[in-house]
Amino acid sequence: MASYYKKLKTELDGAAAAGLITPEQAGKVWDRAYASRTFASFKAAHWIAAISGFFISIGIILVVSYNWDKISAETKIAAFLLVFGAVAYAAMKLEDKPAAAIPLETLWFFMPVLGIGLYAQIFNLSGDPVKPYLVWAALSIPPALLLKRNLNKYLCSILLFAVLYWGTLGSTNMLSLTASYRHAVQPVWHWLPALLVLAAGFALYPADRLRKPLGAGLIWLFLMLAADTAIKLKASALLLLAAMSLSVLWLLWGMDEETSDWGLPLTFWTGAVYMMTFFWHYKPSFAELSGQSTAAGTLLVWTLFSAALLSLIFLKRRLFAGGKDDYLGKGLLAASMLGAFLLFGASEAAAKLLAVIANFILAAFGLGCILNGAKTSSEKMINRGVAVITLTAITRFVDIFGGLLKSGVAFIITGLAFAALAYFVNRGRMALIQSVKK
């Protein structure tokens, strides 16, 4: 992403120098694009101020803990509420002065958990381990909504997603969705607070592009399908179909339309396809794990698959920029999902065919990135394509010839071969990059 902004700045400066646009217009375009970054408004001094707020919080904890036994319970609670109110008031009052406001906002975010710990210790409370964190998140929502700066929104959203993952994958709290150690089914009502936490994490995330929370939510959904929950899947074919459908959905709905940047979703999809290449080692005994897939989970997978296909057909997203139709990109995304159907027969031959198809998908994707990068003068696309093809080639070499590496001489020869490959790949990559710069 940094290379994109660097290139954009260079292009804007060049356009202004050539008289295509005025310097003022170039500056406004740059400010608008740069301001869309996560933490774009944060300068070095702001980060230092945020760290200072964290250290102030730790310092207060240490001072209070040292004199803890000398303070009465009423004094402790009253002092905490007084400090908490003062910090909140000061943070809002000094909001236009980042050097003072950012430490106060950071302190405001962390103070509720200190108060919860204080209250629990004074009254010897115990119970659901997730509840204190949910209360912390609830008490952090007001500053996230009241403050103009996005710091507390990010912190609160991250907290909510962390609680969601920890709580739902556990088995002894109000968010638990996995079976307990006695294999008891969790109450259905647990899904309601879990989904509310998920929705709150989305709502509080301040960026216009919800790529990161969307990815976090889809990964959480896959974990719920893979874990022992009410929507569990035990068939490897269904799990693979779910994983590929979710990765395509994240890719299509998480794209930055303004910059045509696929970012993390594209890396995730590439990794998912890469993992499919290892089905060359698949055995029929892997087809069904212990237990049976639930009807709800199976229905959800088919719903996700349908949603991914419809999104692929109707959303105007392009895996490769330029041209009128992106048939190659859409074909690769569709093939990555449809390949999962080869596992429904649970045969070793079909699994090997799936692995071969996955290798071809990666090769076609890498080649498409290189050609598209050369066409659109994108160094990033060329590097991505070279990296994908190189990784695929090395992995398949190890798969096919790895069993022959039984002597020191064989390792030396293999190392020399990889060194030569790296040299020629890098020369080809640099030649392509130089050609697009001319």
Side-chain angles (χ1 to χ4, degrees), residues 141-425:
I141 290 176
L145 297 177
L146 291 173
L147 296 171
K148 297 178 182 178
R149 199 171 284 103
N150 288 332
L151 174 62
N152 282 47
K153 293 184 177 68
Y154 283 111
L155 292 174
C156 192
S157 181
I158 292 171
L159 173 61
L160 286 165
F161 276 105
V163 173
L164 176 70
Y165 274 72
W166 173 46
T168 54
L169 290 173
S171 58
T172 58
N173 62 80
M174 63 181 294
L175 293 181
S176 296
L177 298 179
T178 59
S180 67
Y181 67 95
R182 293 180 179 177
H183 303 290
V185 177
Q186 296 291 353
V188 176
W189 68 265
H190 279 203
W191 283 90
L192 178 59
L195 293 175
L196 288 175
V197 171
L198 176 63
F202 269 96
L204 286 171
Y205 196 81
D208 294 332
R209 300 185 303 274
L210 297 178
R211 172 185 300 175
K212 293 177 181 177
L214 175 61
L218 293 178
I219 292 173
W220 171 79
L221 181 57
F222 178 76
L223 291 176
M224 294 302 99
L225 290 168
D228 193 6
T229 66
I231 58 172
K232 66 182 178 182
L233 299 175
K234 292 301 182 180
S236 56
L238 288 175
L239 281 170
L240 179 61
L241 184 60
M244 296 313 305
S245 299
L246 288 169
S247 64
V248 170
L249 282 171
W250 187 15
L251 186 61
L252 295 174
W253 290 95
M255 179 189 178
D256 182 350
E257 294 186 71
E258 292 186 0
T259 63
S260 297
D261 177 36
W262 297 87
L264 185 61
L266 182 57
T267 302
F268 188 86
W269 173 82
T270 307
V273 177
Y274 177 71
M275 294 305 298
M276 281 203 300
T277 63
F278 290 95
F279 275 95
W280 186 265
H281 307 287
Y282 178 90
K283 301 295 181 184
S285 57
F286 300 160
E288 295 292 338
L289 305 177
S290 59
Q292 292 184 342
S293 299
T294 61
T298 303
L299 177 61
L300 180 58
V301 170
W302 290 113
T303 302
L304 292 171
F305 172 67
S306 301
L309 278 182
L310 291 174
S311 299
L312 188 60
I313 294 171
F314 294 106
L315 285 183
K316 295 181 179 180
R317 302 288 192 268
R318 301 185 60 83
L319 194 60
F320 302 112
K324 183 178 180 180
D325 296 303
D326 186 19
Y327 294 119
L328 176 60
K330 291 186 176 182
L332 293 177
L333 295 179
S336 67
M337 292 188 293
L338 296 174
F341 286 89
L342 290 171
L343 284 188
F344 281 94
S347 69
E348 189 172 342
K352 290 185 182 297
L353 177 59
L354 172 61
V356 172
I357 292 174
N359 279 284
F360 276 110
I361 292 174
L362 288 177
F365 172 66
L367 182 61
C369 287
I370 293 173
L371 295 176
N372 186 253
K375 181 179 180 181
T376 60
S377 301
S378 173
E379 180 180 342
K380 182 177 180 180
M381 287 293 286
I382 293 174
N383 288 336
R384 184 188 292 273
V386 171
V388 169
I389 291 178
T390 303
L391 177 62
T392 305
I394 292 175
T395 308
R396 300 291 73 80
F397 176 87
V398 174
D399 274 348
I400 297 172
F401 300 105
L404 302 178
L405 300 179
K406 298 179 180 179
S407 67
V409 175
F411 275 98
I412 292 174
I413 294 174
T414 302
L416 291 174
F418 282 157
L421 176 65
Y423 173 75
F424 287 109
V425 165

Side-chain angles (χ1 to χ4, degrees), residues 11-58:
E11 293 292 339
L12 288 173
D13 290 342
L20 300 177
I21 57 176
T22 65
E24 292 77 13
Q25 290 173 329
K28 290 180 179 179
V29 172
W30 166 252
D31 290 340
R32 183 179 184 277
Y34 199 72
S36 65
R37 295 186 316 147
T38 301
F39 301 122
S41 61
F42 272 46
K43 309 301 180 184
H46 298 163
W47 284 111
I48 295 173
I51 294 173
S52 73
F54 174 75
F55 277 95
I56 291 171
S57 303
I58 298 299

